[in-house]
């Protein structure tokens, strides 16, 4: 049959299937407008897998159409797969948007919540616009997504906007393919949408202009609870030491740094050093908290009280990401603390009743609205390193967007994650979906959030897991859930193998690799507490090739909270240890702990790199006790001179085929220099440099034995940018290829992903 002609250009007809984050992001109107500009005929519609398109027209126009689908897609769209099937041209006129087809198994994805776009911001501050100063302005390019979705398909009745019927003006926008609010499910205006109000801790109104009243209270040093996208925040004046101290006392958060919101990039630059990479992170649609180095205290711009982030030269900075934030920051014109709305380690409050009940003793006022939040999502936290954005906490703005994996998962996997910094993971096909940050599974509220997150992810992605992955630690709440609650085939995954597998899959490789997994705690296959591991690993298997020397951990968990105990453990054979300042500061407790070590009662053995950092910090007087996880190590890194080149030496010994690093020698060198009065900044630098060097030498020995020259660095210790940089440089100088994390955190927030990867790899190997 002859191909129909359109002038001199043959006609082409194609069916295009697009999968990924392509619903609720303006993809159909984008396709419609693109087809009209190119004079193509056909149609576009949503189905349970994504978007399906038929397009017909001149061959060159169709080719341009296919290219533009990827290159010009809407800001919130993420195309994971685009397939094209050639069809027989049949003629036709016009290009239509079809009604959604909800039949079949649901595979479409939900966008993460996204920061307010520039077009909506212009409306927000335009006195002539009908949405002027309306704190819920949004469109298909921005606004709430994941946190308001109850079920799929992603249509308004399945979101928390179901209770807000559209007014005539909003309905016209919603149904107009040429409007940027076409099928924007959260679309609303002052006539038909949610309303803002400000109340006291008893729910009594505090004023007619909620934003202005909130700003007034913050300027007066009060604490205001602010309802955000994924939960409540607690806000305070970041310039006022008294306000920050009040918030710390009421929240029971002694030292852990608070995040700070500033109105503009210019203000961020006045407070911190902001390079191009950090600027992209700060101003991008995800709007995480970005950890940045502070400028000198004498720099220009509004200061931030030292009480906001004690013990660190860094600040966690974020820009406004909701219209309400923009309104509040413009009213205030000063930085504010904006921290999670909770007490201590509880999950963030996200329902109105829960917020009033739990935060009434903290907040003086509540800036609230009546759009329900369906699923909580804490702010994401990132850092920058060598031009890359590295996730520290992957949550709002990222979840639940999937992580593409290099291989199929033979069975749908539920991975329950770790005890600390918990996230859960669902994996199917070539996708892994991580939950928003859940937190530490140490109380009933967080455990409830854990189970709710699993149920919501399974429902949202229409996935029924066939296997559940869990940590080996029998006392973890996530392990108990996997073994007792699910009724699924349960597979245990060693903690540090999960770390290494997460790093491998994060980089799209299977191994084998030398996995260096350094963290605080992980249950080892020998029943001891691992944490300074050198694994020869693939995604499916591992063997322990080496580790830091094993030392007693006096008092078990008490040694985590009191780093000085680890000094006693490392120096248990040093008769002069009692003369150290750290020992004198403890008084009689020092000798009591020495006797506890000798008795071997409640002194589990550990190879933990985290506990080694703790001991060094205590010797140098940085931190004898901690109030949050990793505090001693974080503050030790801050003390180190990043320009000092020298490092301490630690030997590596083969004991029964396993390499053992003489980590006590590193602490011994720290003690010797400290006794000589060497500057603590130099001592801290020499420790970091020495640890990086012994990591390199241990990897070199493993490589000589195995031929493997690929190294994967994982575990929370490698959130330390000084150690990470020194280690990567040392390894690369000696010809190693080094993998680091880029899509999931190196800390326990990536464990669920790693567990899923291991189970998927084992399934593939078994078949």
């Amino acid at each position: 049959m002859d191909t129909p002609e359109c002038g001199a250009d043959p006609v082409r007809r194609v069916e295009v299937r697009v999968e990924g984050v392509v619903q609720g992001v303006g993809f159909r109107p984008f396709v419609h407008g693109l087809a009209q500009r190119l004079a193509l005929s056909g149609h576009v519609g949503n189905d349970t897998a994504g978007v399906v398109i038929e397009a017909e027209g001149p061959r060159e126009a169709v080719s341009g159409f296919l290219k533009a689908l990827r290159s010009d897609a809407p800001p919130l769209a993420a195309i994971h797969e685009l397939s094209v099937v050639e069809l027989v041209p049949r003629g036709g006129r016009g290009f239509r948007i079809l009604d959604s087809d909800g039949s079949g198994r649901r595979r479409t994805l939900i966008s993460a919540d996204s920061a307010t776009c520039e077009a909506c911001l212009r409306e927000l501050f335009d006195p002539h616009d009908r949405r002027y100063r309306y704190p819920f302005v949004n469109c298909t390019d921005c606004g709430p997504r994941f946190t308001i979705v109850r079920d799929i398909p992603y249509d308004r009745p399945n979101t928390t906007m179901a209770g807000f019927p559209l007014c005539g003006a909003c309905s016209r926008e919603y149904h107009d393919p040429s409007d940027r609010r076409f099928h924007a499910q959260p679309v609303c205006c002052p006539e038909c949408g949610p309303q803002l109000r400000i109340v006291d801790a008893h729910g009594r109104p505090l004023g007619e202009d909620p934003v202005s009243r909130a700003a007034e209270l913050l300027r007066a040093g009060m604490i205001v609870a602010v309802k955000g996208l994924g939960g409540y925040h607690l806000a305070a004046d970041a310039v006022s030491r008294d306000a920050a101290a009040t918030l710390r006392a009421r929240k029971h958060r002694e030292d852990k740094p608070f995040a700070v919101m500033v109105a503009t990039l210019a203000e961020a630059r006045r407070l911190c050093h902001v390079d191009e990479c950090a600027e992209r992170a700060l101003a991008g649609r995800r709007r995480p908290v970005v950890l940045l180095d502070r400028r000198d205290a004498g720099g220009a711009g509004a200061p931030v009280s030292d009480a906001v982030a004690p013990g660190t030269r860094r600040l966690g900075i974020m820009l406004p990401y909701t219209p309400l934030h923009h309104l509040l920051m413009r009213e205030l014109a000063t930085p504010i603390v904006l921290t999670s709305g909770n007490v201590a380690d509880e999950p963030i409050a996200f329902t109105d009743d829960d917020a009033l009940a739990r935060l009434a003793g903290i907040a003086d006022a509540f800036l609230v609205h009546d759009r329900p939040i369906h699923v909580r999502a804490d702010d994401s936290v990132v850092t920058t390193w060598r031009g890359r954005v590295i996730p520290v906490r992957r949550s709002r703005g990222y979840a639940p967007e999937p992580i593409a994996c290099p291989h199929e998962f033979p069975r749908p996997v539920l991975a329950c994650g770790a005890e600390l910094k918990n996230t859960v993971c669902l994996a199917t096909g070539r996708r892994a979906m991580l939950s928003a940050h859940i937190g530490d599974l140490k109380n009933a509220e967080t455990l409830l959030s854990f189970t709710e997150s699993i149920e919501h992810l399974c429902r949202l992605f229409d996935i029924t897991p066939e296997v559940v992955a869990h940590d080996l630690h029998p006392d973890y709440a996530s392990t108990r859930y996997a073994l007792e609650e699910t009724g699924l085939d349960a597979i245990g995954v060693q903690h540090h193998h999960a770390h290494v597998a997460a790093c491998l899959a994060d980089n799209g490789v299977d191994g084998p690799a030398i996995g260096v997994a350094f963290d605080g705690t992980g249950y080892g296959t020998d029943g001891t507490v691992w944490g300074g591991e050198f694994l020869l690993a693939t995604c499916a298997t591992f063997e322990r090739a080496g580790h830091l020397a094993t030392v007693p951990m006096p008092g078990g968990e008490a040694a985590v909270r009191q780093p000085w105990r680890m000094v006693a453990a490392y120096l248990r054979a040093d008769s002069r240890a009692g003369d150290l300042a750290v020992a004198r500061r403890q008084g009689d407790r020092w000798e009591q702990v020495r006797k506890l070590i000798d008795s071997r009662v409640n002194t589990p053995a550990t190879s933990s790199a985290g506990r080694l950092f703790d001991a060094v910090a205590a010797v140098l007087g940085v931190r004898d006790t901690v109030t949050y996880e990793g505090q001693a190590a974080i503050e030790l890194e801050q003390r180190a001179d990043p320009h000092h080149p020298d490092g301490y030496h630690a030997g590596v010994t083969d004991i029964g085929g396993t390499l053992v690093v003489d980590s006590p020698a590193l602490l011994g060198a720290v003690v010797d220099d400290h006794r000589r009065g060497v500057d603590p900044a130099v001592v801290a630098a020499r420790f970091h440099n020495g640890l990086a060097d012994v990591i390199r030498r241990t990897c070199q020995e493993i490589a000589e034995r195995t031929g493997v020259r690929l190294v994967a660095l994982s575990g929370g210790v490698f959130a330390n940018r000084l150690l990470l940089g020194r280690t990567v440089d040392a390894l690369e100088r000696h010809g190693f290829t080094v993998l680091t994390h880029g899509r999931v955190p190196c800390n326990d927030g990536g464990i669920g992903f790693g567990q899923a990867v291991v189970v998927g790899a084992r399934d593939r190997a078994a078949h």
Side-chain angles (χ1 to χ4, degrees), residues 206-500:
L206 286 178
E208 294 298 320
D209 186 336
V211 173
S212 295
R213 183 66 171 135
E216 179 184 321
L217 293 171
L218 288 168
R219 282 192 290 267
M222 303 294 187
I223 311 301
V224 179
V226 181
K227 189 175 182 180
L229 280 180
Y232 277 78
H233 288 98
L234 293 165
D237 183 355
V239 178
S240 168
R241 182 175 185 84
D242 288 344
T246 297
L247 180 55
R248 286 199 179 281
R250 294 181 184 178
K251 189 175 158 70
H252 303 300
R253 181 164 165 166
E254 295 177 52
D255 302 302
K256 192 174 183 181
F258 289 137
V260 173
M261 178 172 278
V262 296
T264 65
L265 274 171
E267 290 187 29
R269 292 190 193 98
R270 281 194 287 270
L271 293 175
C272 297
H273 297 281
V274 181
D275 61 16
E276 185 178 332
C277 179
E279 181 175 322
R280 289 197 305 270
L282 282 167
R285 68 177 180 88
R286 302 185 190 279
R287 294 291 166 99
V289 176
V290 184
L291 302 177
L292 300 170
D293 292 327
R294 295 181 67 159
R295 292 190 180 276
D296 292 339
V304 167
S305 167
D306 289 340
V308 169
T312 174
R313 297 192 303 265
R314 307 181 80 193
L315 278 178
I317 298 288
M318 60 176 155
L319 296 185
Y321 57 85
T322 71
L324 177 55
H325 292 141
H326 283 281
L327 291 168
L328 186 60
M329 295 308 295
R330 181 166 290 197
E331 189 89 21
L332 278 165
T334 189
I336 61 170
V337 167
L338 204 67
T339 188
S340 300
N342 58 8
V343 179
D345 295 324
E346 293 177 357
I348 185 173
F350 74 105
T351 67
D352 298 338
D353 290 344
D354 184 42
L356 283 167
R358 284 204 284 141
L359 305 181
I362 304 175
D364 299 296
F366 291 74
L367 191 56
V368 302
H369 58 77
D370 53 351
R371 183 181 68 201
I373 299 169
H374 185 64
V375 61
R376 60 167 58 90
D378 258 305
D379 291 318
S380 293
V381 181
V382 303
T383 187
T384 59
W385 183 73
R386 299 186 176 181
R388 298 170 58 200
V389 175
I390 309 296
V392 176
R393 184 169 75 191
R394 187 181 186 275
S395 197
R396 177 198 46 80
Y398 291 87
E401 293 179 1
I403 297 167
C405 298
H407 303 291
E408 292 270 348
F409 288 88
R411 295 183 288 175
V413 181
L414 164 64
C416 292
E419 182 83 348
L420 302 180
K421 296 181 173 64
N422 181 272
T423 59
V424 297
C425 178
L426 276 181
T428 188
R430 292 192 176 189
R431 297 171 178 165
M433 280 73 70
L434 269 69
S435 71
H437 169 78
I438 295 169
D440 299 351
L441 304 182
K442 292 184 178 294
N443 58 57
E445 291 87 354
T446 315
L447 191 56
L448 178 61
S449 177
F450 167 82
T451 57
E452 289 174 343
S453 294
I454 292 172
E455 293 165 3
H456 187 56
L457 283 179
C458 289
R459 182 170 60 254
L460 205 58
F461 295 108
D462 197 17
I463 295 173
T464 301
E466 296 179 16
V467 58
V468 60
H470 61 86
D471 196 271
L472 296 183
H473 199 301
D475 295 330
Y476 279 4
S478 54
T479 301
R480 292 196 300 270
Y481 174 87
L483 296 176
E484 299 171 6
E485 301 292 333
T486 63
L488 300 174
D489 180 16
I491 297 179
V493 178
Q494 199 280 323
H495 188 89
H496 300 94
H497 185 208
H499 269 312
V500 174

Side-chain angles (χ1 to χ4, degrees), residues 548-594:
L548 301 187
T550 300
V551 297
M553 195 170 157
E557 283 295 309
V560 178
R561 298 187 297 272
Q562 300 173 0
W564 67 267
R565 289 171 175 256
M566 292 308 302
V567 181
Y570 271 100
L571 302 182
R572 59 195 183 279
D574 185 345
S575 60
R576 299 187 301 153
D579 295 333
L580 290 170
V582 62
R584 294 196 302 272
R585 289 194 297 269
Q586 309 316 315
D588 293 341
R589 294 189 303 168
W590 178 265
E591 193 57 36
Q592 291 168 5
V593 166
R594 292 279 294 243

Side-chain angles (χ1 to χ4, degrees), residues 657-696:
T658 300
L659 298 174
V660 178
V661 174
D662 186 10
S663 44
L666 292 174
L667 186 67
V670 167
V671 170
D672 289 344
D673 267 358
H674 182 60
R675 281 177 168 145
R676 285 193 289 265
V678 177
D679 183 350
V682 171
V683 178
R686 288 173 175 171
F687 167 70
H688 281 81
N689 296 340
L691 185 57
D693 179 65
V694 79
I695 290 171
R696 189 272 305 169

Side-chain angles (χ1 to χ4, degrees), residues 105-296:
R105 183 175 171 273
R106 299 173 294 187
R107 301 200 311 273
T108 190
L109 302 173
I110 301 297
S111 171
D113 303 276
S114 185
T116 309
C117 69
E118 290 300 320
C120 284
L121 278 180
R122 285 193 294 271
E123 294 175 346
L124 181 67
F125 293 110
D126 180 359
H128 304 292
D129 193 278
R130 70 188 187 92
R131 293 186 173 91
Y132 176 57
R133 289 181 59 82
Y134 181 58
F136 307 99
V137 56
N138 68 86
C139 68
T140 51
D141 292 340
C142 67
R145 294 292 191 276
F146 176 54
T147 52
I148 65 169
V149 177
R150 290 192 173 110
D151 204 351
I152 53 174
Y154 175 55
D155 292 325
R156 194 178 182 96
N158 289 330
T159 74
T160 62
M161 290 297 295
F164 300 94
L166 293 172
C167 67
C170 286
S171 181
R172 284 190 292 275
E173 293 171 331
Y174 182 85
H175 290 99
D176 181 359
S178 66
D179 195 284
R180 79 176 198 279
R181 292 190 168 94
F182 177 73
H183 281 206
Q185 306 306 337
V187 65
C188 57
C189 74
E191 295 299 317
C192 63
Q195 299 298 313
L196 188 69
R197 57 200 180 94
I198 188 164
V199 299
D200 65 14
H202 301 286
R204 296 176 298 218
L206 286 178
E208 294 298 320
D209 186 336
V211 173
S212 295
R213 183 66 171 135
E216 179 184 321
L217 293 171
L218 288 168
R219 282 192 290 267
M222 303 294 187
I223 311 301
V224 179
V226 181
K227 189 175 182 180
L229 280 180
Y232 277 78
H233 288 98
L234 293 165
D237 183 355
V239 178
S240 168
R241 182 175 185 84
D242 288 344
T246 297
L247 180 55
R248 286 199 179 281
R250 294 181 184 178
K251 189 175 158 70
H252 303 300
R253 181 164 165 166
E254 295 177 52
D255 302 302
K256 192 174 183 181
F258 289 137
V260 173
M261 178 172 278
V262 296
T264 65
L265 274 171
E267 290 187 29
R269 292 190 193 98
R270 281 194 287 270
L271 293 175
C272 297
H273 297 281
V274 181
D275 61 16
E276 185 178 332
C277 179
E279 181 175 322
R280 289 197 305 270
L282 282 167
R285 68 177 180 88
R286 302 185 190 279
R287 294 291 166 99
V289 176
V290 184
L291 302 177
L292 300 170
D293 292 327
R294 295 181 67 159
R295 292 190 180 276
D296 292 339

